[in-house]
Amino acid sequence: MDAKTYTAALGELRTLRDDIKKARAALAKLEAERARRIAALTAHDKAKAERIAPAAGLSLAEVVALVPALAPEVLSATAPPTPAPAPQEQEAAPEPAPAALEMDDAPGALAPALTPARAPAAQPAAAENPSAPPAAAPAATPAPAAPGRAATLPAPARRDGTRVLPSVPEGPEGDRWFTHTPNLASTHPNFTQQARSTVFLDAASGVLVHRDRTLQLALGSGSAGEILNVVFNAVPEGVERIYITGGDPWHRDAARHPYLKDAVAAWLNAPAPGWRTDTGRGKDRLAGHFVHPRHPVGRYQRTHSDESGAGGQHVELRSVGEWFDVDGAHPATVRDAFRLLWGVLRSHWPDAVVMGSPSQTGRDLWTRTIPARGQHADGYPVLSEELRGLFHATAGQGRTELITPPRVPEQLPALVEYDRTFAYAKHTWKSAVGTPRRVTATTFATWSQKEQVKALFGCGHWHVRVTVPDTWDHVGILPAPAPGDRAWHYPSTPGTTFTTWAGGPEVYTALTNPLTPWKIEILDGILFDDGKPLDDWSKKLKDCWARLAAQAAVHGDETQATAARLASRAVRAILLYGIGAFAQRPRTVTGTTPRTLERDVPADAEIIAFDDETITWQRPTGFARDPHAHPEWAAGIWSAARSALLSQRMREDDTFVGALHVPAASVVAFRTDALYLTAAHPWPYHGQPGDYLYKGHLTGPLPAPATEDDLLALRDAGRTALTTGSQ
């Protein structure tokens, strides 16, 4: 292109620029005229957004954004319904809305008013007999809801550092998320799991238990290499798994490192003569070490072949703390616990094998309950990677919250702990199945109240705008992204508005709580069919747990009673961590590189430790093609468990329990499945999953805990006091 052509092309470009400006001005004028005419249509008393939207070439949400007065009745009604706004509250039509709205600005469909749970009666403290059933109390009338506001609320100001949760893209791009990953589904296994030869070692005392033998070993300094060589000298036939029952050798040099995880990484990656890091073999083996501050996994392989020329042996070093706290039990008792566990599992799964971790065992047992014929014989398809990522970012696990003065007294009259027994097992009776459906605000607004209630009570995950009632004076209900390093917090200040994602159980609780219904606006949602993919698995595990717990309670031999109690805890861990495994967090790979090859460290890796010879790093690898990834199941169970901490009906006793059924100032803390109060309450306990167990009681006055460590110290003292009767 010569200079003359270049100059002419620039002139044509300027002309095109001016034409675009004129076209945009004309379009803006037409859009303003369209907005004016839409507003003028409100003069007709039967004007409806549903008819105006197609005539204007807009969606229902866009019409409502232009003229809120045209909102459908379900969108503009409050709970309970309020009279039409006074004339002075009617405003002129706003400026045309931008083409793309921030989710906080987007119009939402107001969730309907629902029948509240029974309001809490004034329950007296029951320190003398906290397990006695409560006296019947009349249901109190819930306080009226705060007046509602228009559906198009302005976005609340975001505080610095607050995490903004992702949302589903608008239009066809977001609709494409609502599918399954091709050729990826959970199916019944077509193989028999192989058991691994296992030993139990107390690294502090050197006691090793292998089958029916107990040996005393000298472990030297307790390095991984020394442990492996000493164990294999004592058990020449070889083992494939070494459970460390005590001693925590990976913490031996903790004082030399700034973080416990650094000490663990250094211990795992230290030179081990005759051994190298296992690179994995077979579908059921994971490669490399797993660096965890308290329960690491070391995977090693011999560097030489045996006499037959076969490949080197593979072995795992694991903490038995993944399964349960041994409470100082002898390795032989731990072995007996695993024998009892294996035996009781075999009563339901004839091919059951106790694998290395409870999560692996739980998932393997679950796959063996997938129907071989019938509705789900083809398995359970895995969601699209986009939806799995959304669940990972927006579905938290347990509620952990410490409430401090002035919301609780500076001096507590007591600290009482209630812990929900085998809590997650209570919430596995219903889970999401089928192809997910997208429920936009527009769609939700067009449904009848019956359809809306059914959706909110079903298996769904909802993007909502929440407003705390002006009269609210209790703990928060719904999780919100927290500022700073915390993942979630629970806003409770009256009038606070925030946008979040929440599971159906929590949204339902916010609408039916016994005090005042919260204002919930549906912005978007993921809705599934109701199914029972976990019910058979959970029922079998609950039966195993109950049988082992009963055996522990009646066994005359204290050692065997301890073994049965540990085995029952292992069953609990199988279900708990099995559910966590469905969440399928993005994977992180840990690796090592010699200092002389520093340039070979992956560019996206984070250096987590180094010494004169080795660099230890980790890097995220995203979501694997895991056929058993079902974050929608884990999210639903976690949401239901958080909801039950607030309000749970005891059907057998016709009463409600939980934080919302006690005075607000008496709630001190939430900790996953536990609730800490300032007084005991006569809540019934039948030893069933989900029941509130009266677990600790420390009489005050006590200074209100200011940190988690303070709370844990008081908790431990309260458990001891209740056990010894000195509370």
Side-chain angles (χ1 to χ4, degrees), residues 424-431 534-535 538 542 575 579 637:
Y424 287 179
K426 173 77 172 180
H427 307 293
T428 54
W429 63 278
K430 179 178 72 172
S431 296
L534 305 177
D535 193 47
S538 176
K542 283 186 283 189
L575 186 136
I579 290 169
I637 292 169

Side-chain angles (χ1 to χ4, degrees), residues 6 14 31 34 45 171 206 240 251 267 297 404 442 580 614 646 650 706:
Y6 176 76
R14 293 188 188 100
E31 288 178 339
R34 179 175 62 183
D45 57 357
E240 296 177 275
H251 292 161
W267 186 85
V297 180
T404 56
T442 302
T614 305
L646 298 169
M650 304 288 288

Side-chain angles (χ1 to χ4, degrees), residues 39 41 172 248 258 282 341 381 416 457 467 552 634 676:
L41 289 173
D248 296 343
L341 173 65
V416 181
F457 192 70
T467 301
Y676 297 85

